[in-house]
Amino acid sequence: MAFISNIKFSATKTAGVQHSWKVTVKYNANFTPYELSTGNFRFKDSFAVWEDDSWPNSDDRVTGEVGGSVFNPTASPTVRTLTYTLTNSERAIADEVFGEELYAVVKLTNIDLNVPYTKKSATLHIDL
């Protein structure tokens, strides 16, 4: 079964746009020899951005599933890079206090078998 490894989550201010952030997730999608040899399995990946809140508060979901695409793997691992620019309303969710701890949850789904795999990134501190 496919799995996710080596997630790198980053955010950069978008040039020329005040308070706009482009978030990037880079990760390795790892596949079994069977998933690669058949060539018939399609995978979809995406990610969601979350705000890491201190206990006892629950984490806030900043985005829905974004930045993804459908692909047929040809190698393992396959390095994937997904990007998304936070909208003003999404940024407002994460901007409740100055300086935020954000993380990404990457989702890799075998479309043909309808089997999702998810993994959380490390937390990233940014000053919104």
Side-chain angles (χ1 to χ4, degrees), residues 56-74:
N57 299 323
S58 59
D59 292 354
D60 296 320
R61 187 171 183 157
V62 176
T63 69
E65 291 182 17
V66 296
S69 62
V70 175
F71 65 100
N72 292 83
T74 58

Side-chain angles (χ1 to χ4, degrees), residues 2 4 10 12 16 19 21 28 32 36 38 49 60 63 73 75 86 89-90 94 102-105 109 121 124 126:
I4 298 163
S10 62
T12 55
H19 302 298
W21 287 85
N28 290 344
T32 65
L36 294 174
T38 64
V49 177
D60 296 320
T63 69
L86 295 176
S89 60
E90 291 164 339
L102 301 177
Y103 63 89
V105 175
T109 302
S121 75
L124 172 69
I126 63 172

Side-chain angles (χ1 to χ4, degrees), residues 33-55:
Y34 179 73
E35 289 168 325
L36 294 174
S37 68
T38 64
N40 292 327
F41 289 117
R42 294 171 300 144
F43 288 83
K44 179 181 179 183
D45 60 358
S46 60
F47 69 98
V49 177
W50 289 77
E51 177 189 19
D52 190 6
D53 284 331
S54 301
W55 188 86

